[in-house]
Structures are given as structure tokens and as C-alpha cells.
Amino acid sequence: MKINCTILSFWLFISFCLLNVACKDADKKNNDHLVFRYNEHQNIASLDPAFARNASTIWATNQLFNGLVQLDDNLNIQPDIAKHWEINDSTLTYTFYLRDDVWFHKHRLLGKDSTRKVIADDFVYSLDRLKDPTVASPGSWVLQNVESYDAINDTILKIKLKQAFPPFMGLLAMRYCSVVPKEVVEHYGNNFRSNPIGTGPFYFKLWEENIKLVFRKNKRYFEKDKNGKNLPYLEAVAITFLPDKQSEFLQFAQGKLDFISGLDASYKDELLSSNGKLKPNYENDVFMIKGPYLNTEFIALQNKSEKNKALQSPIFRKAINYSFDRNVIITYLRNGIGTTGTSGIIPKGLPGYENIDGYNYNPEKALQLLEQYKLETGDQNPSLVLTTDSNYQDIFEYLQREFEKIGIQTTIDVMPSSAIRQARADGSLDAFRSSWIADYPDAESYLSLFYSPNHTPNGPNYTFYENKTYDSLYEHSNKLVDITQRKIIYKKMDSLMIDEAPIVPLFYDEAVRFVRKNVSGLGINPQNFLVLKYVKKEKY
């Protein structure tokens, strides 16, 4: 009898274990709709917002941290921890009035309740940290025009500028300006990168670097939806680190990821037709979101080149701009993603963009301009070396054919992106693929590329373009607070860019997201930032 009882107990134990495993599996399956999954093929170097300089880090830290203000999907400044503010134009003073119901994520260093409210002194500390040379934050430039900032009391923060800078509120919306708790940061030091404590809709749970990163729902998050319901809706965010876009796409196609961003050459023809529509075998499970992306793709021309003096001629530069069809690039090489770069440097989706007449395809005019250039200079055999990385080689091979049709001998030099960045900084490249993604939502970010004091290595003017009228307009625009007035000046500057052609605009990029149909609330914005606090998932 004793043996029988032992055997019975053993089988009861086994049955219990099997049932428990089955229940856990079922529970995991039932709760899968509460977990949002995406892949980050570029890895994440840090979860410290002071180092949020690239998209992968910004996407992750966006879920963990808040600042004074935030941007909506139309790039309008909205309250975040600051519930409202006042701007005194005469004294260049910004006064922010903070919410008193924002709590840091729980940590044992934050008092007896393992948390505490955010106060204005926390912002003073966080901004001090950006400027601290021992921290060496790449975001220190955000405060270069700030004279002082002070906590008047727990809920009032004042910031004073050295001189007027209308895009300043957009700078404050950057992840660099997130609030962090002094107690935790000073305890961990450099290791705050992997022990982040913020105020965001999700809190940090687990990070196996280059393998998996997990955030959990912050149940004490302060924001609510329009119906008064607490955000976020999801219980967790799970991020994987597959190293290449093709593997990422296969995981998405198998339903193991909830969305992918961008259109990679490895799968673009599998997913989209040449006119940019989803192919039929994906229509039932996936939808696509597209919108303007603050990224202008162009060829930068070294306007002061001594190696190729043809590039010093605006006539030659205009001939290049008229010689190829930008629609071919969008339709056949980009699967319909993007819009033709026939205007200036300012991209669609940004206040200040105007549909200015620029360079449409006109090979006859290109030939005329090239003949004019030859007549004026005596250079009968103009040539060009185009430098690009492998991702844009197909576009540059098309450009090579078109340039040679009008009589410009063209060579393509394919280099790693890192080598191009180094070479453009020292001015050794004549014509190279470039792009500019706005750090903040103001056209000034693009127009600063051609301000002569910003010549490399002092700034991002890699074309060495110089024009006194342009410089004067740029300086005047930075003194105007009213966006309507600034847009008038921006249009004049952009028109000057077209007239003198220091660059060859290729296309204005679009952000594109492919999302599984059981996901809702995942919008899109011109900065292509990932905002997950409004996302919901339905059970399949």
C-alpha cells in the first residue's frame, strides 16, 4: 500500500507539473497581446538619455523618460512634465510650471517608498549633467545658447537664453533634456546606462546586451488618454537584436514581431510593388503607414574644390541638377517611398517647406548649361567622382549613366559610411552622397548647413558654400520669434540654394512602417520616433 501511495504521489506530482507548464504556456499566449515586440538591428549603446544621439537609443529611451515638453505627430510643442509655460521675448526668459504628480520609477535609493516626485531641482541637475565634461554627453550643444537656469521652487523652472533662438522649445523636446534622479545617477555613475530610472510610461526590467531588452508598464504613469484612462495600455515592450534587416523581416513575416520600420533592399521587392503598394500575400495581416520624414537625401558638392574646379561653377552644378529624372529614383529604385527632390534643402513635413520651383528633368537644358560652362572656362572634358556607400550604389549607377549622357565623365567610388564621414570632414571629397535628418523640428537645422561660419571642422557646412546674402538672411531669421515671419526668410534662403546649386537634391524621404493588423495606436511622425504609450494589441 505504501508503494502504491508513493507511485500515486509521483504521478500526481508529474500531472501537476505538466498542468502548471500548460497553464503558464496558455497564460503566456493569452497575454501576448499585451506585449509589443520589435527588433533593433543597430543595437543600443546606452539607455542613458544624455547619450540619445541615434534612432535606436532615442526609440528605447523614449519609453523610459520624459522632459519639460514633447512633440505631437505634427511636430507641435505639447506639455509633458511642464503643464504650461511663459516666454518673455524682451528678457529671453522661459518660465516653466511643472506638474506635481510625476513620480520616478521605483528604486531603493529613492526614499522609504522607493520613489519620489519630480521637482524643478531635478531638471537643474539633469541640465547640469549635459554640460558636465566628465559625462561627455553628445547633447551638450543643446545648451550652448543658454545663459542660466534656476529652480524658483519645486514646481517653477526658469531658463534664460544668451540670445534669441526661436527653435529652442524644439531642443527641449529632445531626449537629451529628459529628467533623471540625482541619487540613482550618482550611485551608478557610467553604469546608469544599464540601470536607467526615469518617469516614462514604461520602466526598465531586463537587458541582455545584443540579445534582449524588456520594459514593463509603469502603473503610476501620469498621462491619460482623451477618455481619462491611464496610459500606457501595454503591459510590456520586448526588443530583440537580430543584426540584419533580412532576418528582422523574416521574423516579422512569421508574426514574431509587431512592426518593422523602413524599407530595406533585401526585402523591398518581396513586400511592395514598384508603385509602393503592399503585395497581395501581405494585405490580410499587415498594413502600411507612410508619412513625411525629416530627412533630405542629396549629393553634396565641394564648392571650393581645388581638385575639380568645375564644381566651383554654379553653371556646371546646375547642369548636373537638370540631367537626371528624380521620378526614376523614386519609382524604380525606392519602390515609391519618398518624394522627388525638385525643391530646396527643406523637406516636406517641416514648417518652412515650400514647393519652390527647382530642378525638374530637362536634359536639353543640362546640355546647354554644360556647353556654356565649356565656353566660359575652356574645360572641354569635365569629370566627376561620386562617392557613396553600398546602400546607395544602385542610385549612383543610375546617376553615372545620366551624367555621362550629357558629356560628364563620371566615376563611382564606393566607401564605407564611416570612411565617408571622415573624408567629408576634412574636405577631401568632391561629390558625395549625404543626408540630413533634423535634430529638432525647425528648418534652421537644414539651413545651418550652408551658413559660412559653419564650415567644417567648425560645423556641418561640408560643401564650403559661402554667400554673404545667405549669411545675412540666416542671422536675421534667428532673431525672429514669429514662425510666419521666419518662414518668409526661410523661403528666400531655400530659393538661393536652388539658384546657386551647392548640392544636388535627390529625394525627400518618407517614414514607412509595416504593422501587424492586430496593432492599433502606432502612429507615425516626421522624426520617425517610436511612441508606444498609445499602442494597443488585440488577440488574434
Side-chain angles (χ1 to χ4, degrees):
M1 186 69 180
K2 185 176 180 181
I3 295 174
N4 290 339
C5 288
T6 302
I7 293 172
L8 179 62
S9 298
F10 172 76
W11 284 111
L12 285 171
F13 174 74
I14 293 297
S15 299
F16 173 78
C17 289
L18 291 172
L19 180 62
N20 191 43
V21 169
C23 287
K24 284 184 177 180
D25 288 344
D27 186 57
K28 182 179 178 183
K29 186 174 182 180
N30 288 335
N31 289 327
D32 186 65
H33 69 288
L34 297 176
V35 180
F36 187 86
R37 306 177 191 278
Y38 78 91
N39 183 68
E40 187 49 75
H41 70 281
Q42 293 183 344
N43 294 326
I44 294 173
S46 175
L47 293 173
D48 182 342
F51 295 89
R53 69 180 303 172
N54 55 33
S56 60
T57 305
I58 292 170
W59 279 23
T61 52
N62 238 14
Q63 320 314 322
L64 301 175
F65 295 93
N66 297 89
L68 289 166
V69 294
Q70 60 185 320
L71 299 172
D72 63 18
D73 283 350
N74 296 313
L75 303 182
N76 298 309
I77 301 291
Q78 300 292 339
D80 200 357
I81 293 177
K83 55 187 178 182
H84 59 91
W85 50 87
E86 297 168 354
I87 303 174
N88 188 321
D89 294 337
S90 61
T91 61
L92 308 179
T93 302
Y94 293 67
T95 303
F96 296 93
Y97 299 88
L98 311 186
R99 301 177 65 116
D100 63 357
D101 59 349
V102 180
W103 299 77
F104 284 113
H105 300 153
K106 286 198 169 187
H107 193 282
R108 58 184 173 78
L109 294 171
L110 296 177
K112 64 178 182 178
D113 296 324
S114 297
T115 186
R116 65 170 176 81
K117 288 183 179 181
V118 173
I119 59 174
D121 271 327
D122 292 314
F123 278 100
V124 171
Y125 171 75
S126 301
L127 296 177
D128 280 344
R129 192 167 168 261
L130 277 188
K131 299 191 300 181
D132 187 343
T134 63
V135 175
S137 167
S140 59
W141 63 270
V142 170
L143 301 177
Q144 64 187 0
N145 192 39
V146 173
E147 181 178 294
S148 63
Y149 42 86
D150 300 286
I152 306 305
N153 57 38
D154 283 356
T155 58
I156 299 178
L157 178 75
K158 284 197 174 184
I159 301 178
K160 187 172 183 179
L161 303 187
K162 298 174 185 175
Q163 58 188 29
F165 186 66
F168 179 62
M169 290 290 281
L171 296 184
L172 291 179
M174 297 177 71
R175 203 68 288 142
Y176 289 133
C177 298
S178 301
V179 68
V180 295
K182 179 178 180 179
E183 306 95 314
V184 180
V185 174
E186 297 198 345
H187 172 78
Y188 285 110
N190 292 337
N191 288 327
F192 185 68
R193 65 174 289 280
S194 54
N195 295 275
I197 294 294
T199 58
F202 300 91
Y203 68 88
F204 170 76
K205 181 65 177 177
L206 169 72
W207 190 13
E208 296 177 45
E209 293 198 37
N210 302 329
I211 298 173
K212 189 173 187 178
L213 176 61
V214 178
F215 303 147
R216 296 298 303 269
K217 177 178 183 173
N218 175 11
K219 294 183 179 178
R220 206 167 187 175
Y221 188 58
F222 62 93
E223 286 192 283
K224 301 180 186 297
D225 66 15
K226 61 183 180 181
N227 297 317
K229 186 175 180 179
N230 291 336
L231 296 173
Y233 305 117
L234 296 166
E235 285 293 329
V237 177
I239 305 166
T240 54
F241 295 92
L242 295 170
D244 65 273
K245 296 289 285 184
Q246 188 169 19
S247 299
E248 179 182 89
F249 173 70
L250 290 174
Q251 290 283 298
F252 175 70
Q254 293 168 12
K256 295 177 182 178
L257 297 174
D258 292 308
F259 101 118
I260 54 174
S261 177
L263 191 65
D264 191 73
S266 64
Y267 60 77
K268 67 182 180 70
D269 295 324
E270 161 70 14
L271 194 54
L272 293 183
S273 62
S274 62
N275 62 359
K277 303 294 184 182
L278 274 174
K279 288 192 171 177
N281 50 327
Y282 291 99
E283 287 179 340
N284 291 333
D285 299 317
V286 175
F287 66 93
M288 178 174 65
I289 318 173
K290 274 199 315 183
Y293 179 32
L294 300 188
N295 176 32
T296 299
E297 296 278 345
F298 58 96
I299 302 173
L301 304 175
Q302 224 278 46
N303 288 213
K304 300 295 182 182
S305 175
E306 290 299 323
K307 289 189 301 180
N308 188 350
K309 293 194 175 181
L311 292 174
Q312 296 183 20
S313 167
I315 297 171
F316 179 79
R317 300 195 300 256
K318 287 181 180 180
I320 294 172
N321 269 286
Y322 280 117
S323 68
F324 67 98
D325 190 348
R326 290 161 174 84
N327 287 301
V328 170
I329 294 175
I330 296 298
T331 303
Y332 298 106
L333 302 176
R334 295 274 303 167
N335 289 69
I337 303 300
T339 56
T340 54
T342 53
S343 296
I345 186 69
I346 302 173
K348 284 188 174 181
L350 191 65
Y353 169 81
E354 297 279 350
N355 191 20
I356 306 170
D357 287 339
Y359 294 102
N360 291 303
Y361 180 44
N362 192 335
E364 292 80 13
K365 190 165 186 175
L367 282 166
Q368 290 171 5
L369 287 167
L370 195 61
E371 288 304 313
Q372 182 182 345
Y373 163 77
K374 290 178 181 179
L375 187 64
E376 291 183 3
T377 64
D379 179 7
Q380 298 303 308
N381 297 294
S383 62
L384 193 61
V385 177
L386 298 174
T387 303
T388 183
D389 60 29
S390 57
N391 291 327
Y392 291 79
Q393 188 170 346
D394 56 348
I395 293 176
F396 275 63
E397 286 173 350
Y398 163 70
L399 294 172
Q400 179 185 34
R401 292 192 297 271
E402 298 306 295
F403 294 165
E404 290 184 340
K405 284 179 184 177
I406 65 167
I408 301 174
Q409 183 180 343
T410 306
T411 304
I412 297 176
D413 186 9
V414 179
M415 297 170 57
S417 297
S418 57
I420 293 175
R421 286 193 294 270
Q422 178 59 43
R424 76 181 184 185
D426 59 29
S428 61
L429 297 179
D430 282 342
F432 56 94
R433 176 260 161 187
S434 191
S435 67
W436 192 257
I437 301 174
D439 289 316
Y440 47 93
D442 196 285
E444 184 275 340
S445 176
Y446 291 88
L447 298 169
S448 68
L449 299 179
F450 308 100
Y451 182 51
S452 62
N454 284 343
H455 286 170
T456 182
N458 301 320
N461 184 349
Y462 303 113
T463 64
F464 290 84
Y465 175 73
E466 289 185 12
N467 184 289
K468 290 182 179 179
T469 300
Y470 185 92
D471 289 349
S472 177
L473 289 169
Y474 178 81
E475 290 164 2
H476 179 54
S477 70
N478 280 340
K479 297 175 183 177
L480 300 173
V481 175
D482 189 305
I483 183 61
T484 304
Q485 295 178 33
R486 291 209 314 279
K487 284 166 67 174
I488 294 171
I489 305 298
Y490 290 164
K491 183 176 180 179
K492 290 179 180 179
M493 296 166 71
D494 218 14
S495 297
L496 198 53
M497 285 295 92
I498 293 170
D499 187 54
E500 299 215 326
I503 63 170
V504 182
L506 298 175
F507 59 89
Y508 309 117
D509 209 351
E510 286 185 308
V512 57
R513 294 178 175 180
F514 302 96
V515 188
R516 303 205 69 81
K517 284 197 171 177
N518 66 324
V519 174
S520 61
L522 182 65
I524 198 164
N525 55 77
Q527 290 184 302
N528 198 26
F529 287 169
L530 187 63
V531 180
L532 296 179
K533 59 190 174 187
Y534 302 110
V535 169
K536 294 180 181 179
K537 278 179 67 176
E538 302 297 329
K539 291 182 181 180
Y540 260 125

